[in-house]
Amino acid sequence: MMTLRVIAALLSLLALTAESRAAGVTIGVVAPQDGTFASLGAQVRAGAVFQIGQAGDTIVPISETCQDNSGQAIADALIAAKVQIAIGFLCSETLEGALPKLKDANIPAITVSVRSRILMEDSLKNGWPFFRLGPQDGDEAAKIIQVILQQWAASPIALVEDGTIHGRELTEAVRNALEENGLKAVFTDTYRPGQEQQIGLVRRLKRAGATKVFIGGDRNDVAVIARDAKAENIPLDILSGDAMRAANQPLALADGVRAVAIPEYALLSEADSTVHAMRAAGVEPQGYVLPAAAAALIASQAVQAALSEGKPVAEKLVGTQFDTPIGPVTFTPAHELSQNPYRLLEWHGDAFVPPADGTD
């Protein structure tokens, strides 16, 4: 398991190597070093350190406090260090203050996690060089709708949700899209979350004739529904959303339950070579490690291309395909990913993995 000590050692080694070489691209890595998000910040730094070391670039680690009005000081530190591009940024509070100064310094910022729609709208309006290496609002619903239309259109479909804002809005988006495509669910319902059993719900699903059910709810509720359907001998294909990426407790999830979610990139074939190299270096590719490595790779290649062509770095980020450990990445003119990062996954054993039947 990756430790803070391992990350510190990698940082020290990379700093010494950078001093002796003084070459390559100078990349700022902004991530929390203390507080609530320290463990996530450690993942970001580990992935960035690994990739920056592989490329022979120079790292400038900057601590992110995630406090209001902290972004300007972080931007000042990046500018003073003469970074050419910055990655990481787990918190919107940092970016809100940093982006105006980063624009003036022509330093693009690539976030691995911030999903704020308003921040991106403000960035596009003000010309801030903000790029998102993660999903945007609506991506989860769009992928769920695609999966259902492609794979369930000929089957009796049920839509149930837990009454929370997210569960209700997600399920409503699916229902509206189905009806726009001439499909109507045979059963819709709102269930009470957090119950020890859902036998009444699965029996109602059986009476309605549903064989496919989308559940807008959390992992444990889905596990309870799947268990009770099996106990009642009711065959149901179950699909849920990104909330399924949670602890597999108190009730273990049954094999075969599917979710549209952000994948654990280390389990994907495109990450194999990077995963092996990281583990050989003592870095476990968990959480934000691989996305941070991808961001560092993109940063390095974009800066090099910009320098060789005499163009702004932000211009080279748009429309260029980068082959990364998390798959091909291309940013649109709106600074979003051109490909939806959500994927169809299936629970098997102890992880969500690509479905064995090859569907996506």
Side-chain angles (χ1 to χ4, degrees):
M1 183 176 180
M2 179 182 59
T3 65
L4 292 175
R5 184 175 296 175
V6 170
I7 296 166
L10 287 170
L11 277 167
S12 299
L13 178 61
L14 185 54
L16 290 171
T17 305
E19 287 177 5
S20 65
R21 181 174 49 244
V25 177
T26 302
I27 302 172
V29 178
V30 180
Q33 294 182 13
D34 304 293
T36 304
F37 303 116
S39 62
L40 300 181
Q43 293 172 5
V44 171
R45 287 192 300 280
V49 166
F50 176 84
Q51 180 57 44
I52 290 169
Q54 294 285 103
D57 293 326
T58 300
I59 185 172
V60 177
I62 303 290
S63 181
E64 183 178 24
T65 65
C66 297
Q67 295 177 351
D68 290 336
N69 304 315
S70 63
Q72 292 186 12
I74 288 175
D76 288 340
L78 291 168
I79 293 166
K82 294 182 169 55
V83 307
Q84 294 158 289
I85 191 167
I87 66 171
F89 300 101
L90 293 185
C91 303
S92 59
E93 292 87 350
T94 306
L95 288 160
E96 288 168 0
L99 284 169
K101 286 193 171 186
L102 294 181
K103 173 190 175 182
D104 293 341
N106 296 313
I107 299 173
I110 303 175
T111 180
V112 296
S113 70
V114 173
R115 301 187 183 189
S116 170
R117 174 181 54 81
I118 293 174
L119 181 60
M120 183 58 81
E121 290 176 353
D122 288 345
S123 296
L124 295 174
K125 180 175 65 178
N126 294 302
W128 298 340
F130 173 48
F131 294 81
R132 196 194 322 265
L133 189 65
Q136 57 181 306
D137 284 351
D139 279 352
E140 181 185 7
K143 183 62 178 180
I144 291 168
I145 291 163
Q146 176 193 333
V147 168
I148 292 176
L149 289 175
Q150 288 179 348
Q151 301 183 22
W152 287 4
S155 303
I157 301 169
L159 304 173
V160 300
E161 44 91 4
D162 62 3
T164 62
I165 293 174
H166 180 71
R168 183 173 64 250
E169 290 182 348
L170 186 62
T171 307
E172 185 68 7
V174 173
R175 185 186 66 80
N176 289 338
L178 294 183
E179 292 182 357
E180 288 171 4
N181 284 272
L183 300 175
K184 186 173 179 60
V186 299
F187 179 84
T188 60
D189 197 10
T190 300
Y191 65 86
R192 185 177 178 184
Q195 302 302 293
E196 294 184 359
Q197 57 88 13
Q198 292 286 357
I199 293 175
L201 174 61
V202 299
R203 287 175 177 172
R204 292 196 299 275
L205 287 166
K206 180 179 181 180
R207 287 196 297 271
T211 60
K212 317 285 186 183
V213 57
F214 172 76
I215 303 174
D218 70 21
R219 185 188 182 106
N220 196 57
D221 288 333
V222 174
V224 169
I225 293 168
R227 179 205 63 193
D228 289 352
K230 182 178 181 180
E232 293 289 307
N233 198 29
I234 300 171
L236 285 179
D237 290 330
I238 296 174
L239 175 69
S240 192
D242 199 49
M244 297 293 283
R245 291 193 304 143
N248 193 32
Q249 58 183 16
L251 179 64
L253 192 63
D255 282 356
V257 172
R258 292 188 169 188
V260 165
I262 299 296
E264 184 61 49
Y265 291 109
L267 299 176
L268 302 182
S269 59
E270 51 261 54
D272 281 349
S273 61
T274 302
V275 167
H276 291 319
M278 282 184 169
R279 286 178 173 154
V283 177
E284 182 58 31
Q286 59 186 338
Y288 285 115
V289 173
L290 283 169
L297 181 151
I298 292 166
S300 180
Q301 293 185 1
V303 171
Q304 292 179 58
L307 290 173
S308 67
E309 298 176 26
K311 294 181 178 180
V313 179
E315 184 176 327
K316 293 307 300 179
L317 284 169
V318 175
T320 302
Q321 178 172 304
F322 302 94
D323 294 322
T324 81
I326 63 173
V329 170
T330 305
F331 292 110
T332 69
H335 297 188
E336 303 281 10
L337 294 177
S338 64
Q339 292 182 312
N340 191 329
Y342 284 98
R343 303 198 188 188
L344 176 63
L345 304 171
E346 182 173 290
W347 184 254
H348 183 73
D350 61 357
F352 275 111
V353 296
D357 59 11
T359 55
D360 186 11

